[in-house]
């Protein structure tokens, strides 16, 4: 059993919706449902804070697809227009999927940034963060 949350995500002050979001929370953590709307951070962090869990693995798949007709009106785009779809699974140390999410972004509204840091050279004692 899963707690299902879904709706359109809007960035404050934006004219158009950012994306369609579906979040599924494992029944063991369903009590977060009453707090999600007022919680400013990600759902997995709420699960960690409320239940003392640690999310240790994130599997993320990003694909190019078309906006389904049933979502086009909500996203204010034409049915079949380009979209970026992001699927995520958040797992605990024991391998349980605590949260699964699906996000559908009209292609022009999708942005993705990754910061990677190179491990330091031999003898330097660890990872060195790049300056801000």
């Amino acid at each position: 059993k899963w707690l299902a949350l879904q709706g359109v995500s809007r960035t404050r002050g934006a004219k158009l919706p950012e994306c369609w979001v579906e979040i599924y929370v494992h029944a063991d953590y369903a009590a977060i449902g009453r707090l999600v709307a007022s919680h400013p951070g990600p759902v997995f962090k709420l699960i960690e804070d409320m239940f003392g869990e640690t999310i240790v693995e994130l599997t993320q798949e990003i694909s190019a697809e078309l906006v389904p007709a049933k979502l086009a009106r909500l996203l204010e785009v034409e049915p079949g227009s380009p979209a970026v779809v992001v699927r995520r699974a958040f797992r605990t140390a024991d391998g349980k999927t605590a949260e699964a999410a699906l996000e559908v972004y009209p292609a022009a509204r999708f942005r993705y940034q990754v910061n990677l840091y190179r491990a330091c050279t031999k003898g330097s004692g660890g990872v060195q963060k790049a300056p801000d």
Side-chain angles (χ1 to χ4, degrees), residues 7-10 16-21 67-68 70-78 83 104-106 109:
V8 174
S9 177
R10 292 185 177 270
L16 297 169
E18 181 180 16
C19 68
W20 172 258
V21 179
V67 175
K70 66 181 184 177
L71 296 183
R73 183 180 56 78
L74 295 170
L75 292 172
E76 300 180 39
V77 297
E78 291 296 318
V104 178
Y105 294 84
R109 299 178 206 159

Side-chain angles (χ1 to χ4, degrees), residues 23-75:
I23 298 173
Y24 301 93
V25 177
H26 191 282
D28 289 351
Y29 313 112
I32 68 154
R34 67 183 190 278
L35 301 174
V36 168
S38 62
H39 185 264
V43 171
F44 82 87
K45 186 67 176 131
L46 189 54
I47 292 169
E48 289 182 329
D49 292 347
M50 280 187 67
F51 294 94
E53 284 287 4
T54 301
I55 301 300
V56 299
E57 179 184 351
L58 166 63
T59 300
Q60 179 171 262
E61 175 186 287
I62 301 173
S63 59
E65 300 181 24
L66 302 176
V67 175
K70 66 181 184 177
L71 296 183
R73 183 180 56 78
L74 295 170
L75 292 172

Side-chain angles (χ1 to χ4, degrees), residues 101-119:
L102 169 85
E103 298 169 343
V104 178
Y105 294 84
R109 299 178 206 159
F110 180 78
R111 298 288 178 268
Y112 185 72
Q113 177 180 330
V114 175
N115 296 320
L116 301 174
Y117 299 98
R118 182 182 301 262

